[in-house]
Amino acid sequence: MPTCKEVQEVAEETRSDAAAPQGVTREFHFTLDNNLTEKQLMFYVINSNTKVYINGELVFDKHRSETNKVSATGCYWVNLTLLRADNGKEVTVELQPLYAATVKRAVTFYEGSQYPLFWKILKQDAVFCFFGIFLILFGIIYLGISFYYCVKMRIRLNLSSLGMVSVLVGCWKISDTCLITWLLPAHVRFFSYLSSIAILLLPFFVAMYINISARPHSTIQRAMYGLMIGNAVLAAIAGLLHLLRIVALRESQGIFVYLILAEAIFMIVLEFVVYPRHRNDMRHKLFMASVICLMLSISLDVLCFLIWHSSNLMFFTMIGIVVYIVAIGILTLRNAQDKLFRDKATGLYNRNKCNELIHMGIAPDDRLCFMMFDLNGLKKTNDNCGHDAGDQMIAKFAEVLRNSIPAGNFIGRSGGDEFISIIYNTDEERVKKIIADMWEQITVFNQENEHGVWQLGAAVGYAFVKEVSSRSYKDLYKLADKRMYENKRAMKAVRTE
């Protein structure tokens, strides 16, 4: 059975080297095992020039371009196939870190068969690659949905910026795994640049997300505009410095990581400041739960780093980011649906939603009642008192309906002065109680506003599923509408007597 083991006895020394990119060369010395039949030497290198010697003979040499001092080698696996004659020989590995952040990175050497090591890497990185692919796919979906709403519905969603954040985090995560460089060794420089570019662009799109989410014309929105411009300028400068071969992208990305962290903290603090204003909003509570999950995830990774000096590839943070992005996407889509299907004047479902339900709905059971309401005197109020008074009349009647009809049932404004409601799991006694409650509230309001410019009143009609053979909402609507107008005529007859 193929085996692979970690080299245990490794002597390391760091010596000054004026010719090296960071002024140091790290040397590792160890002896190859005599007993292994399948001989391969493997280790993972993070942005360093690498030379491998066996008994003083150079067998591997990888370094960045001599003419371009800001080019990257990327992160890569050294995978050397050894001969049986190499058993017991002395190995010397020289690493010249390209960037200050990699000078003290630990290096682990393996010898034996590559297959056990591959399965170890697969088990270690598969989850993070899955998270990365998941975030990229979700980001693309968000971008597509945002484009659709913008073009077709003329609604601007913050899903576009959130989608870009999701795509960039996914690219960053996948590019930084050991697995991707093992599977695609010929493209390690591409993934190195992809990771750097993702980090450079992330602060801009995080700021854009906060900007779109903020209240229009608020101080926060103006501040985010400034931050977006600042992030764009910094990213352009970093790109220009790299193209001019002055400073490598990888060396300037540290400032962008701090920007991402600062913006994330700002967003979390902002939500905790805003939260008390929305304490009874269930969607905001769900949003806050996702923010708290993200905070706890980051805290766990920081704790792991402080205890074991390893973030384990930000495992908990990745879970928190996935939960946050999915939760925000769902809540944003729900809010967009509200914009499409909510009546601005009343907060009830609007005509579009009512028509959709009436023409496509089928009653789920026999204990369902379809109710119609027609607000009396709206045209007269609009003509005599103005549309502002008419809007107040509509809003007040909507409030009466919400207070009369139990939660969990459908209430919508199907026209200018018409409202519908679908009452589930009910009977005629309960429906009559709803109507009685409605009239009680109307009477109290009219008495309190006896000398007001307008008075509330409404005609009502309703129909049960058992009265309609087709069970369709359309036929229920027709029957309830007919009875509502009968009730309206009866009310007019009473007033004329």
Side-chain angles (χ1 to χ4, degrees), residues 280-490:
N280 296 321
D281 186 341
M282 181 54 68
R283 294 185 188 180
H284 200 77
K285 288 180 179 179
L286 291 173
F287 174 75
M288 285 305 302
S290 68
V291 171
I292 292 169
C293 176
L294 181 59
M295 290 177 61
L296 290 175
S297 302
I298 294 171
S299 301
L300 283 171
D301 269 327
V302 170
L303 187 62
C304 290
F305 179 79
L306 292 174
I307 295 174
W308 294 292
H309 303 289
S310 171
S311 65
N312 196 24
L313 297 176
M314 301 193 306
F315 176 74
F316 297 109
T317 301
M318 284 301 297
I319 294 175
I321 289 172
V322 169
V323 170
Y324 178 82
I325 287 177
V326 171
I328 297 306
I330 292 171
L331 294 174
T332 301
L333 288 174
R334 290 294 301 273
N335 289 335
Q337 289 293 310
D338 278 355
K339 288 182 180 180
L340 285 174
F341 295 123
R342 288 285 178 183
D343 179 59
K344 290 182 180 179
T346 63
L348 304 178
Y349 286 109
N350 62 13
R351 180 181 298 183
N352 292 336
K353 185 64 176 179
C354 292
N355 288 340
E356 178 186 284
L357 196 63
I358 290 168
H359 290 94
M360 299 180 66
I362 298 293
D365 59 63
D366 293 333
R367 292 176 58 79
L368 181 145
C369 180
F370 194 106
M371 300 187 72
M372 286 283 299
F373 305 88
D374 186 88
L375 184 58
N376 294 335
L378 179 62
K379 185 178 184 304
K380 182 179 177 181
T381 301
N382 283 332
D383 292 342
N384 296 338
C385 308
H387 286 277
D388 286 345
D391 289 344
Q392 292 173 19
M393 190 177 185
I394 291 167
K396 183 59 186 178
F397 185 65
E399 181 187 331
V400 168
L401 290 181
R402 275 196 297 266
N403 292 337
S404 305
I405 297 170
N409 297 300
F410 181 92
I411 313 173
R413 184 184 175 197
S414 57
D417 57 359
E418 291 187 349
F419 297 78
I420 68 170
S421 180
I422 298 174
I423 314 298
Y424 305 99
N425 191 29
T426 190
D427 53 33
E428 189 149 7
E429 183 180 345
R430 293 177 183 175
V431 171
K432 287 181 177 179
K433 185 179 185 308
I434 289 172
I435 297 171
D437 289 345
M438 180 194 79
W439 275 111
E440 182 180 347
Q441 292 183 64
I442 288 174
T443 301
V444 170
F445 175 82
N446 288 339
Q447 289 173 350
E448 292 175 351
N449 296 271
E450 185 177 355
H451 302 293
V453 294
W454 50 268
Q455 295 277 290
L456 274 183
V460 185
Y462 59 89
F464 284 90
V465 175
K466 60 187 177 183
E467 298 178 278
V468 177
S469 59
S470 66
R471 303 176 64 90
S472 71
Y473 285 147
K474 189 174 183 179
D475 289 339
L476 283 168
Y477 167 79
K478 289 178 181 178
L479 182 57
D481 187 60
K482 177 185 174 184
R483 290 173 175 172
M484 180 190 72
Y485 278 102
E486 288 173 356
N487 180 239
K488 198 173 190 71
R489 285 193 293 270

Side-chain angles (χ1 to χ4, degrees), residues 33-298:
D33 196 321
N34 281 316
N35 300 319
L36 294 175
T37 55
E38 295 184 63
K39 297 294 293 185
Q40 283 182 289
L41 175 63
M42 298 156 287
F43 58 96
Y44 187 64
V45 179
I46 300 175
N47 288 299
S48 299
N49 296 332
T50 306
K51 289 182 179 180
V52 180
Y53 299 87
I54 297 181
N55 273 10
E57 180 184 352
L58 181 65
V59 294
F60 180 87
D61 184 4
K62 184 179 178 68
H63 56 272
R64 72 179 177 187
S65 171
E66 295 291 343
T67 58
N68 185 355
K69 297 302 181 182
V70 299
S71 64
T73 61
C75 302
Y76 55 93
W77 281 94
V78 175
N79 196 333
L80 294 176
T81 300
L82 305 176
L83 303 175
R84 188 178 296 273
D86 293 325
N87 286 358
K89 289 185 177 180
E90 181 75 19
V91 176
T92 300
V93 177
E94 292 183 357
L95 298 181
Q96 293 182 339
L98 301 182
Y99 312 118
T102 60
V103 169
K104 295 183 179 181
R105 287 291 184 94
V107 182
T108 304
F109 299 92
Y110 301 91
E111 56 179 331
S113 172
Q114 63 178 334
Y115 301 110
L117 181 57
F118 169 74
W119 285 112
K120 178 181 178 181
I121 297 165
L122 182 63
K123 286 188 288 185
Q124 173 184 296
D125 286 355
V127 173
F128 301 102
C129 286
F130 170 78
F131 281 149
I133 294 170
F134 181 86
L135 287 170
I136 291 171
L137 290 177
F138 250 80
I140 293 171
I141 291 170
Y142 285 176
L143 289 170
I145 292 172
S146 184
F147 179 77
Y148 174 80
Y149 270 85
C150 182
V151 173
K152 296 291 186 180
M153 311 295 184
R154 305 298 183 200
I155 295 176
R156 186 188 180 195
L157 301 180
N158 61 359
L159 277 186
S160 55
S161 51
L162 187 64
M164 281 303 304
V165 170
S166 184
V167 169
L168 291 171
V169 171
C171 289
W172 178 14
K173 195 67 252 169
I174 290 175
S175 300
D176 274 357
T177 59
C178 299
L179 181 62
I180 199 71
T181 54
W182 181 289
L183 296 174
L184 300 169
H187 303 286
V188 293
R189 290 185 63 195
F190 166 78
F191 287 109
S192 177
Y193 283 119
L194 180 62
S195 173
S196 296
I197 291 169
I199 293 171
L200 258 63
L201 294 179
L202 260 171
F204 175 84
F205 286 104
V206 171
M208 179 184 287
Y209 168 69
I210 299 172
N211 171 270
I212 296 174
S213 303
R215 186 164 48 85
H217 311 299
S218 64
T219 304
I220 293 170
Q221 191 175 67
R222 288 194 291 271
M224 287 303 109
Y225 273 126
L227 194 56
M228 286 166 60
I229 294 170
N231 286 333
V233 170
L234 285 174
I237 291 172
L240 185 62
L241 290 175
H242 183 87
L243 291 174
L244 294 175
R245 301 183 178 183
I246 298 173
V247 179
L249 279 179
R250 181 68 68 166
E251 289 182 287
S252 60
Q253 73 181 28
I255 186 172
F256 294 92
V257 173
Y258 286 116
L259 278 172
I260 295 167
L261 182 61
E263 289 172 0
I265 292 171
F266 175 81
M267 183 174 63
I268 291 168
V269 171
L270 176 64
E271 285 306 322
F272 274 103
V273 170
V274 172
Y275 176 69
R277 305 178 197 171
H278 304 272
R279 192 175 298 276
N280 296 321
D281 186 341
M282 181 54 68
R283 294 185 188 180
H284 200 77
K285 288 180 179 179
L286 291 173
F287 174 75
M288 285 305 302
S290 68
V291 171
I292 292 169
C293 176
L294 181 59
M295 290 177 61
L296 290 175
S297 302
I298 294 171

